[in-house]
Amino acid sequence: MSDQTWVIGSSQTCDLLIDQPTVSAYHCVLLRKDDNYFLSDCGSTNGTFCDSRPIEQKLQVYPGSHVTLGHSLRLPWPTIAGARQIVTIGRDPSNDLVLDHRNVSSSHARLILGFAKTYVLEDLDSRNGVSVIVRGVRCRIRRAVAVEPVQTVYIADHAVEVGKLLEIALAKTPRPAPSPAPRGGTVTTQPVTTIPSTVGAFFSETQPTTVVPSSGERTTQYVLWFFLGFLASVALYLLVGLLGAELKQKSWDRSPPVEWFD
């Protein structure tokens, strides 16, 4: 299985077009390497989240992961790995929806129904493409587009209601659900920041982890050390005073007697 990349956003140049106001022009990137998927945010305005946690670096995700663009818009999974059902469209009689027209490719497009009630229409490298209405203008998609049940799409020049495709999907046997993501939902793929060798020994597997006190604990320690330092200073002051008095007395005792002359 070859590696694939999907640039996801509201721009018509994206591999997966999602025409929603909360989606940035270039919102995130999904990468597939073999059977593994990795997701990165592209500095989007509303962020990309997995299991309600913001994605700040490349994360491994799964077709069963709870990924949202912003806090609520579920990411439509663009591959059949996350499909509840698939509806194929084309001129060949083996398709679920057959459009017997010369400008329709044999295998023209397919609708991917996600388990999270998402719908992705994918162009299968057709000759005359797939088009949708984006902000009042009909445009040909680059690769795939998120659609709604009430929407009309264009296979070459032929208008097809998404609702009709969903009716075809309901008549088919559902596909098995994707395996759930591991607990926590994500696995970071970025290496942990390297610790300098001068302190690395404190974080090795054979050394106990150093516990850093909290700010409140540090404040208490500072007050305690200040109080102990103050007591030590007072004790030292008294000790110096006593020693000074004793030395002065000894010096007085050893001094020669004073002779008085008439």
Side-chain angles (χ1 to χ4, degrees):
M1 183 180 294
S2 60
D3 297 347
Q4 286 186 295
T5 301
W6 291 265
V7 178
I8 302 170
S10 59
S11 171
Q12 297 176 18
T13 61
C14 287
D15 300 302
L16 175 56
L17 168 61
I18 304 177
D19 185 25
Q20 294 292 337
T22 56
V23 178
S24 297
Y26 302 99
H27 199 104
C28 59
V29 173
L30 181 67
L31 169 67
R32 183 180 71 190
K33 292 182 66 67
D34 299 325
D35 291 327
N36 301 308
Y37 294 87
F38 304 93
L39 188 66
S40 301
D41 184 74
C42 296
S44 61
T45 301
N46 295 305
T48 306
F49 296 80
C50 186
D51 297 332
S52 300
R53 295 191 297 272
I55 294 178
E56 298 176 347
Q57 59 182 349
K58 184 186 294 184
L59 296 179
Q60 184 172 3
V61 294
Y62 305 82
S65 297
H66 188 275
V67 178
T68 59
L69 309 182
H71 288 283
S72 58
L73 182 63
R74 192 69 180 261
L75 171 68
W77 199 262
T79 75
I80 61 175
R84 174 166 55 96
Q85 192 50 271
I86 302 169
V87 177
T88 58
I89 309 164
R91 192 178 71 250
D92 192 274
S94 63
N95 287 286
D96 298 311
L97 177 62
V98 178
L99 299 176
D100 190 13
H101 300 278
R102 294 179 59 184
N103 59 353
V104 176
S105 299
S106 297
S107 297
H108 198 107
R110 63 186 174 189
L111 181 69
I112 302 172
L113 287 71
F115 282 87
K117 296 182 179 180
T118 60
Y119 311 101
V120 173
L121 183 65
E122 182 183 13
D123 184 2
L124 299 177
D125 296 324
S126 64
R127 181 186 307 171
N128 294 305
V130 174
S131 302
V132 294
I133 303 298
V134 178
R135 294 177 282 278
V137 178
R138 178 176 162 180
C139 66
R140 181 171 176 172
I141 65 171
R142 176 182 175 88
R143 186 167 164 192
V145 59
V147 295
E148 300 293 337
V150 297
Q151 195 169 346
T152 298
V153 298
Y154 297 88
I155 307 300
D157 292 326
H158 305 281
V160 176
E161 296 179 355
V162 175
K164 180 179 180 180
L165 299 176
L166 296 180
E167 291 176 0
I168 296 173
L170 291 175
K172 299 181 65 175
T173 303
R175 291 164 55 90
S179 301
R183 188 168 184 175
T186 60
V187 178
T188 178
T189 62
Q190 295 291 343
V192 178
T193 302
T194 303
I195 300 173
S197 59
T198 54
V199 296
F202 293 100
F203 295 89
S204 66
E205 294 181 357
T206 58
Q207 295 290 337
T209 302
T210 303
V211 178
V212 180
S214 63
S215 58
E217 293 174 337
R218 288 197 298 268
T219 301
T220 302
Q221 291 177 358
Y222 295 154
V223 173
L224 180 61
W225 282 111
F226 176 80
F227 182 71
L228 292 176
F230 175 76
L231 291 180
S233 299
V234 171
L236 182 61
Y237 176 79
L238 294 176
L239 180 61
V240 170
L242 291 174
L243 290 175
E246 184 176 353
L247 291 174
K248 184 176 181 181
Q249 182 64 37
K250 289 182 178 180
S251 175
W252 177 264
D253 293 340
R254 292 178 181 177
S255 60
V258 179
E259 297 181 0
W260 299 91
F261 296 94
D262 293 335

